[in-house]
Amino acid sequence: MKKSYGLLIISALILFSSCNPKISTSLSRSYPPLDYKQDIVVIGLDQSEPDNSEVLGQVKIGDTGFSTKCSYDIVIDRAKLEARKAGGNAIKIIKHAPPSAMGSTCHRITAKILKVENIDNYTSKAEEEVLLDVDYAIINVYRYSGAGALVSYDLFLGDSVICRVRNNFKKTIHIKKDGLNSLWAKTEAKSEVPIDVIMGKTYYLRCGITMGAFVGRPKLELVDSKTGKSEFESFKAKNQ
């Protein structure tokens, strides 16, 4: 009985670990680990790294073949953890392979681990919200590859369709109607998020599909500028 119980625990541990993404880290230099409370700056695929940065190494987050805990947020958090352990305070994404209908269901990234001098100055500039002197607002809409690849849906702003959201998609849209409104989409069910449109402001809308009874349901999330910019620039979309 004890032997069977032990085998059951071992099997559960193996199953649990196989659900996690594969992590490979190579370091050329390291510093004392950072406190777990300190945030790690994420520099997107198309963003340039700061001039005053030192490359400590590289981290790859991949797929074991059984990984399920490998959403974009999770793999970024794993890369941040590896940077924190090496004493780095930033990661620069250099490769990003989003999930695909015929391939891996995981986000897979390769990132440099950086130690940046005066990181607070860099982040304050990166997070500064700039209002453009224009008569429109910008909405960056994006959807990664993955579940529900064959399901597309129209995205509405109020009563108007502003784009067709497809799998592996991103699009920059200019909006000339300001004020309180809502972004929404519908398949077998409706998903809706409120938005206060301000001329000159840039918004980021992360789209997806959640499980439904038949074809899946739209998932819409307005994300902050820092997260949205990093995610929007982190992948090459087939549909734009």
Side-chain angles (χ1 to χ4, degrees), residues 98-225:
S100 61
M102 302 301 293
S104 174
T105 58
C106 291
H107 287 271
R108 290 142 291 151
I109 65 168
T110 301
K112 293 180 183 179
I113 297 174
L114 305 178
K115 184 173 178 62
V116 182
E117 293 182 16
N118 302 317
I119 190 68
D120 291 338
N121 293 338
Y122 178 79
T123 55
S124 63
K125 291 178 181 178
E127 293 175 3
E128 184 179 347
E129 187 174 43
V130 178
L131 288 177
L132 305 175
D133 186 19
V134 293
D135 62 348
Y136 56 83
I138 295 172
I139 301 180
N140 290 310
V141 181
Y142 59 101
R143 175 183 167 189
Y144 296 123
S145 300
L150 299 179
V151 181
S152 302
Y153 48 82
D154 289 329
L155 177 65
F156 288 78
L157 177 69
D159 297 329
S160 302
V161 177
I162 59 174
C163 68
R164 180 78 175 173
V165 178
R166 300 176 176 83
N167 198 52
N168 196 14
F169 167 88
K170 64 180 178 181
K171 188 176 181 68
T172 297
I173 303 166
H174 292 178
I175 302 296
K176 293 197 172 184
K177 183 178 180 181
D178 63 351
L180 291 172
N181 216 317
S182 65
L183 291 161
W184 62 275
K186 184 177 181 180
T187 52
E188 63 182 36
K190 184 177 180 180
S191 178
E192 184 175 11
V193 292
I195 183 172
D196 185 8
V197 179
I198 299 172
M199 298 294 99
K201 188 173 180 179
T202 300
Y203 301 85
Y204 292 88
L205 183 72
R206 182 199 295 148
C207 301
I209 285 285
T210 59
M211 291 183 63
F214 300 102
V215 297
R217 303 176 180 182
K219 183 178 181 181
L220 308 178
E221 300 172 275
L222 274 173
V223 298
D224 63 90
S225 296

